Amino acid sequence: MNNIFDRVKYGTETIKDPLKNNEFSYGRIIAKENVCNNCGKCVSVCAMNAIKINTIKNAEHLVTIDNKKCMYCRNCVNVCPSSVLKMTSDYKMAELELAGDKLREKIYKTFKRSLVLRVIDTGSCNACMSELNALQNTFYDISRFGINVAASPRHADGLVVTGIVTKNMKEALEKTYHAMPDPKIVIAVGSCAYNGGMFKDGDGVYDVLNNILPVDMVIPGCPPSPQAIIFGLLKIMDKI
């Protein structure tokens, strides 16, 4: 039924280029320079501690946002009395971590085919998993970019992880990682996988992903949009 709705609404089953159509995406939050009055409201409503206000020359104030910590709730944008903050459609926020530099040469020499990924939810609210699932529908169709998902880690080149790592999932995560053949890629999807997100102080939480496995790429967001995930995956493919 969804396929029929897609065809009626967009005139085609698959979007021609999801990375060029920002209508369906949200992205990084930006701040106007030297306009902030240092009221601190944006800092107080940020649950992720992703916002800082720095004093620069002439007693002017500059707002900075850590995009990897940000969960894109827009609370800071809504509360700012001076409209300093603005949410854009720039989804290109994925960043390679230092571990990725060590893997590039090995991966380039090893992979002669499509990139195959194994997805694992270590304790998320399922929002990031929903966006990952959307990548395989007829609208985004990520397989056309040469990216496929495997049911077994033994057939995978990389591990895509969503959510904070809970105590009950730590062992399963490590077993999945060690079951993959070398070299291994680890991609953290969403704010929780990177920084714990809203669940970092939960009783069942073990730790963040980066303290358990070597993370090669972070795709920030809560959840990241399909465009942001596609961009991150294509970016890591460019590096390998």
Side-chain angles (χ1 to χ4, degrees):
M1 185 63 68
N2 288 336
N3 293 351
I4 297 176
F5 288 149
D6 285 347
R7 286 175 180 264
V8 172
K9 183 175 181 179
Y10 304 109
T12 181
E13 183 177 352
T14 303
I15 186 173
K16 291 183 178 180
D17 191 343
L19 297 185
K20 290 184 180 180
N21 194 338
N22 290 351
E23 176 186 353
F24 306 101
S25 181
Y26 65 88
R28 70 177 72 243
I29 294 175
I30 60 174
K32 297 178 183 178
E33 292 188 5
N34 310 335
V35 181
C36 175
N37 62 8
N38 198 26
C39 69
K41 290 184 178 180
C42 58
V43 176
S44 64
V45 299
C46 182
M48 300 295 100
N49 296 319
I51 302 177
K52 291 184 178 180
I53 300 178
N54 301 311
T55 302
I56 54 178
K57 61 181 180 179
N58 300 325
E60 295 175 336
H61 304 287
L62 184 65
V63 182
T64 58
I65 299 99
D66 188 333
N67 288 302
K68 289 192 289 186
K69 288 184 179 181
C70 179
M71 61 182 292
Y72 306 93
C73 63
R74 300 175 180 84
N75 286 342
C76 59
V77 176
N78 296 334
V79 78
C80 181
S82 304
S83 299
V84 174
L85 300 172
K86 175 185 178 183
M87 174 165 279
T88 70
S89 297
D90 182 8
Y91 55 82
K92 299 179 180 179
M93 297 178 287
E95 296 181 13
L96 286 168
E97 297 295 273
L98 294 178
D101 295 332
K102 301 177 183 178
L103 289 175
R104 289 173 191 162
E105 185 177 352
K106 294 180 181 178
I107 295 172
Y108 180 80
K109 292 180 179 179
T110 302
F111 296 155
K112 304 298 180 183
R113 51 171 170 72
S114 298
L115 183 68
V116 181
L117 301 173
R118 172 69 166 90
V119 180
I120 182 170
D121 183 344
T122 55
S124 75
C125 67
N126 209 39
C128 291
M129 290 298 294
S130 295
E131 299 302 316
L132 285 168
N133 289 336
L135 297 180
Q136 301 178 67
N137 66 23
T138 56
F139 191 65
Y140 291 106
D141 188 20
I142 198 173
S143 61
R144 60 185 156 139
F145 298 114
I147 302 172
N148 296 300
V149 177
S152 171
R154 299 189 185 280
H155 303 152
D157 307 311
L159 188 63
V160 178
V161 182
T162 67
I164 187 75
V165 181
T166 62
K167 296 174 182 177
N168 290 338
M169 283 300 296
K170 176 180 178 291
E171 183 179 356
L173 171 66
E174 292 177 328
K175 285 184 176 180
T176 303
Y177 175 78
H178 292 301
M180 290 195 306
D182 291 324
K184 312 170 195 282
I185 302 172
V186 178
I187 302 172
V189 174
S191 302
C192 291
Y194 172 72
N195 191 51
M198 295 296 295
F199 307 104
K200 58 186 175 183
D201 297 323
D203 293 336
V205 170
Y206 180 83
D207 207 341
V208 294
L209 178 64
N210 196 47
N211 292 335
I212 301 172
L213 299 179
V215 176
D216 304 299
M217 169 167 279
V218 175
I219 303 178
C222 185
S225 66
Q227 284 93 338
I229 299 174
I230 292 174
F231 172 76
L233 295 178
L234 292 178
K235 185 174 181 180
I236 202 169
M237 286 184 69
D238 289 340
K239 298 299 182 182
I240 62 177

